[in-house]
């Protein structure tokens, strides 16, 4: 008996279709919504309350812990077997890309919620609790422990049969994807926004049929998961283009035409964009790009929103080919900082216009509201003074960002330069073993604003198998410093602590042109000594502690605050 038959029991009521009119409910006011979101993602008590579910998932193969096998995301014999998934039927927006998937999904989901739609959103990974991966309804909050446990108990026997039939080959991600999709049907969402986990063609989420796909989005194509996705940018682009489907039937006035919309975020290298456009053309799908000449996005300045930095942006989208859609949004205040987040916001706006062209009611006001009320843990996240105090870092400015690629490191550096152009930095870095450590280091060392870099260690997805030892990172940073011409002081953290404890601040006040480099297994000690170095060197001048390299190090900091 095929696994499809088991999982088809989960999808037997997946017959949802989108309404072409707006619901009436509105999401809560901005300040309340932000408060409720962060409270809901605190993760306190989740492990104990969902122990049976988490234990069940942890007994399955988890590629976030072990690393993704070579070729797993390619459309080849090495690729993941999508026969283990079945087609779940509800109207969806499917998002793939190297970077920007989660942010684009959050922007678009909030736009649709602002219009009053009930939205199912599925993303990965999570920061504090696995519940963050699923949100259902109009609030945008993570799915409740009660709802997740209740569904799991109802379908556990079916999952047991599926796992047994597949001889234990079902993965953590496959099972949780099935749970998420089943929950969307149960809650009768109007539309689902689905983020691909790896690549696209062989990702577990890629079971959406062409008739149930409203928009495909490909945000970026970069050199991440190279081995799993074929070893080149071209093979990565091919894998991600696998979410594009054949043009689906659309009723336009009294005519039936075939159309499926593909939104490209970008910017892409010309030959990479050609691969994506050729795939869409071969499937009779309409391509829109957030980088098309008629589309203009710009950051106009910085201000404060709820006491934290935000950027004022203009977004102008003008689509004249294939469909007539136009929107001008001036002075949009984004809490998500950086030009890359503006690009993600523009991409989500393009997707909104595609839905509007299909008959969905998506007003300009809802697009603005959704963009302005989007925030994500670990993406350019400045901690509050109370959160810094909880870490024992009174008065410190702390920025958490889960950047872990060369491109995201450059985006992080640019964001810091924009928001705090005069500030000096202390970096606290931990990374997974399958990342480009040297490329990441070169980008951040090139900022020329580093007082110190602390290289530390955190578990990756709750396990040490993908953790990079601090000593390994140090070798990469030393080599990178030579390549970019940055002088470093390679010293042990105990020397800094002893000097500071003796109040001999000048003993750590190395020549101003040199950056202190240290390894330290303790994340807390790294942050505290980094704060002392900033104070010793900078006095009253602005300084920022930047915690980066992985969403898992961000998770560790946030857990420390809760404790």
């Amino acid at each position: 008996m095929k696994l499809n038959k088991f999982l088809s029991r989960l999808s037997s009521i997946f017959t949802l279709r989108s309404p072409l009119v707006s619901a009436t409910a509105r999401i809560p006011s901005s300040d309340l919504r932000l408060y409720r979101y962060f409270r809901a993602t605190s993760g306190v008590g989740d492990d104990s309350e969902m122990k049976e579910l988490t234990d069940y998932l942890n007994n399955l193969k988890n590629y976030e812990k072990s690393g993704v096998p070579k070729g797993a995301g390619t459309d080849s014999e090495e690729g993941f077997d999508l026969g283990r998934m079945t087609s779940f039927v509800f109207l969806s927006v499917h998002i793939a890309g190297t970077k920007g998937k989660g942010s684009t999904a959050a922007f678009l989901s909030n736009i649709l919620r602002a219009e009053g739609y009930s939205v199912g959103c599925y993303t990965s990974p999570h920061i504090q609790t696995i519940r963050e991966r699923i949100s259902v309804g109009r609030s945008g909050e993570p799915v409740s422990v009660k709802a997740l446990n209740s569904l799991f108990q109802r379908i556990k026997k079916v999952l047991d049969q599926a796992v047994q039939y597949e001889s234990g080959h079902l993965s953590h991600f496959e099972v949780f994807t099935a749970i998420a999709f089943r929950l969307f049907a149960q809650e009768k969402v109007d539309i689902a926004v689905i983020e691909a986990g790896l690549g696209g063609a062989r990702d577990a989420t890629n079971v959406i049929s062409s008739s149930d796909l409203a928009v495909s989005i490909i945000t970026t194509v970069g050199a991440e998961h190279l081995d799993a996705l074929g070893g080149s940018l071209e093979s990565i682009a091919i894998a991600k283009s696998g979410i594009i489907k054949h043009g689906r039937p659309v009723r336009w006035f009294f005519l039936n035409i075939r159309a499926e919309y593909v939104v490209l975020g970008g910017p892409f290298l010309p030959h990479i964009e050609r691969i994506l456009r050729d795939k869409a053309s071969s499937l009779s799908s309409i391509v829109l790009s957030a980088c098309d000449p008629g589309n203009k996005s710009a950051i106009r300045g910085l201000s404060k929103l709820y006491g934290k930095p935000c950027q004022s942006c203009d977004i102008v989208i003008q689509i004249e080919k294939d469909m007539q859609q136009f929107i001008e949004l001036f002075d949009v205040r984004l809490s998500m900082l950086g030009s890359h987040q503006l690009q993600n916001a523009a991409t989500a706006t393009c997707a909104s216009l595609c839905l509007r062209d299909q008959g969905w009611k998506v007003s300009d006001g809802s697009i603005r509201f959704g963009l302005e009320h989007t925030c994500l843990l670990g993406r350019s996240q400045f901690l509050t003074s109370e959160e810094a105090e909880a870490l024992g870092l009174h008065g410190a400015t702390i920025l958490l960002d889960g950047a872990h690629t060369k491109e995201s490191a450059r985006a992080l550096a640019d964001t810091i330069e924009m928001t705090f152009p005069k500030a000096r930095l202390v970096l606290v870095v931990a990374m997974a073993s399958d990342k480009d450590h040297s490329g990441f280091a070169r980008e951040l060392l090139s900022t020329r604003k580093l007082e110190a870099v602390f290289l530390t260690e955190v578990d990756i997805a709750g396990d040490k198998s993908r953790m990079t030892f601090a000593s390994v990172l140090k070798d990469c940073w030393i080599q990178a410093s030579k390549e970019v011409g940055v002088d470093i002081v390679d010293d042990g953290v105990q020397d800094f602590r002893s000097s500071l404890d003796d109040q001999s601040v000048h003993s750590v006040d190395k020549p101003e042109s040199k950056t202190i480099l240290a390894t330290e297994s303790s994340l807390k000690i790294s942050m505290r000594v980094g704060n002392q170095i900033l104070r010793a060197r900078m006095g009253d001048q602005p300084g920022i502690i930047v915690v980066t390299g992985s969403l898992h190090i961000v998770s560790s900091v946030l857990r420390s605050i809760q404790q």
Side-chain angles (χ1 to χ4, degrees):
M1 188 177 187
K2 295 293 186 182
L3 179 61
N4 304 45
K5 295 182 180 179
F6 290 126
L7 290 183
S8 66
R9 301 175 190 174
L10 302 183
S11 61
S12 60
I13 65 168
F14 277 44
T15 56
L16 306 179
R17 289 294 185 271
S18 62
L20 295 184
V21 295
S22 170
T24 57
R26 301 288 295 186
I27 61 178
S29 62
S30 54
D31 53 345
L32 176 60
R33 185 176 177 281
L34 290 170
Y35 168 75
R36 291 175 64 188
Y37 176 83
F38 286 115
R39 183 188 66 184
T41 56
S42 66
V44 176
D46 276 3
D47 289 344
S48 60
E49 294 178 38
M50 298 191 301
K51 188 176 188 305
E52 186 175 359
L53 171 59
T54 55
D55 285 350
Y56 189 94
L57 293 171
N58 288 335
N59 285 328
L60 302 172
K61 188 70 174 178
N62 188 345
Y63 295 111
E64 290 177 24
K65 290 184 178 181
S66 61
V68 184
K70 182 178 180 179
T74 60
D75 196 8
S76 67
E77 291 184 0
E78 295 177 311
F80 287 132
D81 180 11
L82 285 187
R84 294 201 288 256
M85 299 295 289
T86 188
S87 179
F88 296 89
V89 184
F90 47 78
L91 199 66
S92 301
V93 175
H94 201 187
I95 306 175
T98 302
K99 301 297 295 181
K101 299 187 297 293
S103 297
T104 302
F107 280 130
L108 182 58
S109 296
N110 283 333
I111 288 168
L112 294 169
R113 292 187 190 108
E115 193 60 57
Y117 292 112
S118 175
V119 181
C121 185
Y122 181 57
T123 61
S124 61
H126 60 273
I127 302 289
Q128 294 180 276
T129 165
I130 197 170
R131 296 188 296 110
E132 295 168 32
R133 299 186 181 209
I134 304 173
S135 62
V136 184
R138 297 185 176 92
S139 72
E141 294 178 19
V143 61
S144 69
V145 171
K146 181 179 179 180
L148 207 51
N149 279 338
S150 176
L151 175 59
F152 173 67
Q153 292 301 327
R154 288 202 304 277
I155 67 175
K156 185 176 180 298
K157 289 184 179 179
V158 177
L159 292 174
D160 286 341
Q161 288 178 304
V163 171
Q164 182 179 9
Y165 180 80
E166 288 293 320
S167 303
H169 292 147
L170 269 178
S171 70
H172 180 293
F173 187 75
E174 286 173 310
V175 169
F176 203 64
T177 299
I179 290 173
F181 286 10
R182 176 62 180 81
L183 188 65
F184 295 160
Q186 172 184 296
E187 298 300 319
K188 296 181 172 58
V189 299
D190 298 325
I191 190 168
V193 179
I194 308 296
E195 176 190 345
L198 175 73
R202 289 297 184 99
D203 187 71
T205 63
N206 197 30
V207 293
I208 304 164
S209 67
S210 60
S211 61
D212 302 307
L213 182 65
V215 183
S216 297
I217 302 173
I218 300 176
T219 56
T220 59
V221 172
E224 188 177 15
H225 301 300
L226 276 172
D227 287 343
L229 296 176
S232 68
L233 281 180
E234 291 78 10
S235 64
I236 291 174
I238 292 169
K240 295 186 186 303
S241 71
I243 69 168
I244 301 173
K245 302 295 192 299
H246 281 283
R248 67 184 186 86
V250 175
R251 187 163 182 83
W252 181 257
F253 292 102
F254 299 104
L255 300 176
N256 285 317
I257 60 174
R258 296 192 62 82
E260 190 242 315
Y261 296 88
V262 178
V263 174
L264 302 182
F268 300 95
L269 294 172
H271 71 290
I272 297 299
E273 182 166 344
R274 177 48 51 197
I275 290 173
L276 303 177
R277 286 184 177 273
D278 285 349
K279 177 62 177 290
S281 177
S282 71
L283 296 174
S284 302
S285 294
I286 297 170
V287 178
L288 309 173
S289 173
C291 295
D292 280 344
N295 302 334
K296 306 294 183 183
S297 300
I299 299 173
R300 297 303 184 192
L302 295 172
S303 59
K304 292 282 187 177
L305 186 66
Y306 314 120
K308 296 182 180 181
C310 74
Q311 56 190 24
S312 175
C313 305
D314 295 341
I315 300 175
V316 177
I317 307 293
Q318 183 171 355
I319 304 170
E320 296 180 347
K321 184 180 178 182
D322 298 313
M323 68 179 191
Q324 300 293 317
Q325 291 291 339
F326 178 76
I327 188 171
E328 286 184 333
L329 298 173
F330 298 111
D331 193 27
V332 179
R333 301 175 73 193
L334 298 180
S335 297
M336 305 277 279
L337 300 177
S339 58
H340 60 299
Q341 292 295 1
L342 173 57
Q343 185 66 21
N344 293 332
T347 302
T349 301
C350 284
S352 300
L353 296 182
C354 291
L355 291 173
R356 182 190 288 179
D357 197 60
Q358 296 179 45
W360 290 71
K361 181 182 178 183
V362 187
S363 68
D364 290 5
S366 291
I367 295 175
R368 175 186 292 275
F369 191 91
L371 296 178
E372 291 189 336
H373 292 77
T374 295
C375 56
L376 285 177
L377 295 175
R379 279 78 161 183
S380 299
Q381 179 186 353
F382 285 91
L383 296 186
T384 65
S385 57
E386 292 79 11
E387 289 167 335
E389 187 74 37
L391 294 170
L393 300 171
H394 176 72
T397 300
I398 303 169
L399 173 62
L400 308 183
D401 193 279
H404 54 267
T405 67
K406 179 177 68 175
E407 293 79 10
S408 58
R410 170 45 47 196
L412 172 59
D414 291 343
T415 299
I416 295 170
E417 178 65 30
M418 178 184 69
T419 51
F420 291 94
K422 296 181 180 180
R424 303 290 293 182
L425 311 177
V426 165
L427 299 182
V428 180
V429 178
M431 300 187 76
S433 58
D434 54 353
K435 305 304 176 185
D436 180 6
H437 306 137
S438 296
F440 186 86
R442 284 193 297 271
E443 292 295 338
L444 290 177
L445 283 166
S446 296
T447 64
R448 313 278 176 169
K449 298 170 63 173
L450 300 181
E451 293 297 328
V453 178
F454 284 80
L455 305 170
T456 187
E457 301 163 355
V458 295
D459 291 351
I460 305 298
D463 192 83
K464 296 187 182 299
S465 59
R466 287 181 62 215
M467 180 185 77
T468 304
F469 290 107
S471 58
V472 174
L473 285 178
K474 185 176 83 168
D475 291 341
C476 294
W477 280 74
I478 290 174
Q479 180 60 38
S481 69
K482 295 175 182 177
E483 292 172 3
V484 299
V486 172
D487 290 333
I488 62 170
V489 178
D490 180 12
D491 240 327
V493 71
Q494 282 301 125
D495 296 336
F496 304 144
R497 295 186 69 195
S498 298
S499 299
L500 289 165
D501 290 341
D502 293 338
Q503 303 299 313
S504 303
V505 294
H506 293 293
S507 64
V508 299
D509 195 8
K510 306 292 184 183
E512 290 300 325
S513 61
K514 293 190 175 182
T515 298
I516 298 169
L517 183 68
T519 58
E520 169 54 54
S521 59
S522 169
L523 174 57
K524 287 185 177 180
I525 290 176
S526 297
M527 295 179 70
R528 290 178 180 178
V529 177
N531 189 45
Q532 289 176 306
I533 291 172
L534 273 179
R535 292 192 172 196
R537 281 192 163 187
M538 304 305 298
D540 295 331
Q541 298 301 310
I544 305 174
I545 300 172
V546 182
V547 181
T548 189
S550 167
L551 286 172
H552 301 285
I553 190 174
V554 169
S555 176
S556 294
V557 173
L558 294 175
R559 281 200 305 272
S560 296
I561 293 172
Q562 295 300 326
Q563 294 169 358

